[in-house]
Amino acid sequence: NRALTDFFEPGSTFKMVAAGAALNEKLVKLSDTIFCENGSFSAGGRVLHDHHPYGNLTVQRVVEVSSNIGMAKLGMRLGETKFYDYIKKFGFGQLTGIPLPGEVSGISRPPSRWSKLSITRIPMGQEIAATPLQMAMAYAAVANKGVLMKPRIIKSITDPNGRVVVEYPVTMVRRVLSEAAVKHLTTALKGVVGDAGTAAKAEVKGYSVAGKTGTAQKVDPDGRYSHRNFYSSFVGFVPAEDPQLLVMVA
C-alpha cells in the first residue's frame, strides 16, 4: 500500500507547514510583505532560486505562487527549534498508527543534525521525507480547524440486523494550529486554487477548494537533484469553509 509504505520529499505541499506555523505564532499576517530577492537568495553558502523573479510579495502571495525564497524567510523567522516543533506536531517522522501493515515513519531529522542550509530548504519540502498518508493527515488537521486526527479505516461493524457490533471512535491526536491561524491559512490555500495561484486546474465549479501543489525534484543515481524527473502532487480539501472531502493526488 504505497500510501503508507513509500516516502518521498514532498516539495511545495510541505510549505503549508511553515506558513501555518508562522501564522500560528503570529510572526506574520497574510497582508505582511516579504522581499523575495528578485528570484535569487544566498543563504547558508548556497543560492536559492524562485521559478519567477519576485520582489515584494505578501505572505498570502508567497503561498499562492509558491515562492521558495518567501518560505525560506518564514522558516528563518521561526527558527530551527520552533519550526521542528511544528513538523512534529503535524505528525511528520512518526507512524500514524493506522491499522494497516507496512507503515513507515518517513524521515524528519532533529535540528542537531541540520546543516546551515536546512532552515531554508526544509520549509520548501526538501531534506524531509513523508508518506502520502502523512501529507493527507497534515492537511486534514487544517481542514479539522487545526486538530490532527488519527486515521481510521472502518467507522463501525454491524451485524445482519443492522446493530452495531464494534465502533471505532474518532480519536484526536493533538491541536496543531489555532482556529484563527487555520482561517488565515485556508484563505491562502484557496488563493492557490484561484486564477492567480499555481493550481487553477484544481478549481471545482460550484465549490471553494483549498489546497497546494508540489513539484519535488527526484534524486539522480549520482546523488544530485534531477532536472528531468519530478514527484508531482496536490493536496486539497472541499468545500474550503466546511470541509467534507480531502484528496491527495501524486
Side-chain angles (χ1 to χ4, degrees), residues 5 9 33 46 50 63-64 69 81 93 95 100 117 124 129 148 151 158 175 212 218 247:
T5 64
E9 282 192 321
T33 58
R46 296 285 293 276
D50 269 337
V63 176
E64 289 174 350
I69 294 170
T81 302
L95 297 175
L100 288 171
L117 277 177
M124 51 183 268
L148 185 74
T158 56
R175 174 164 289 282
K212 186 76 187 72
K218 291 184 178 180
V247 178

Side-chain angles (χ1 to χ4, degrees), residues 4 15 20 59 64 70 78 99 119-120 168 174 196 225 231 243 250:
L4 49 124
K15 289 174 179 174
V59 172
E64 289 174 350
L78 282 160
I119 193 61
T120 63
Y168 296 90
R174 70 182 71 90
Y225 282 112
Y231 184 96

Side-chain angles (χ1 to χ4, degrees), residues 8 10 13 130-137 139 231-236 246-250:
F8 58 97
T13 52
T131 64
L133 178 62
Q134 286 174 331
M135 288 306 308
M137 270 189 68
Y139 275 77
Y231 184 96
S232 299
S233 60
F234 175 82
V235 196
L246 183 141
V247 178
M248 172 164 179
V249 182

Side-chain angles (χ1 to χ4, degrees), residues 109-163:
R109 296 176 294 117
S112 61
R113 295 178 57 198
W114 290 11
S115 71
K116 290 181 180 178
L117 277 177
S118 299
I119 193 61
T120 63
R121 297 313 193 260
I122 297 175
M124 51 183 268
Q126 292 184 349
E127 291 191 32
I128 190 161
T131 64
L133 178 62
Q134 286 174 331
M135 288 306 308
M137 270 189 68
Y139 275 77
V142 180
N144 283 311
K145 294 185 169 65
V147 176
L148 185 74
M149 306 297 292
K150 184 174 180 178
R152 293 180 297 170
I153 299 297
I154 300 167
K155 183 179 180 182
S156 61
I157 299 172
T158 56
D159 66 15
N161 298 316
R163 290 177 298 201

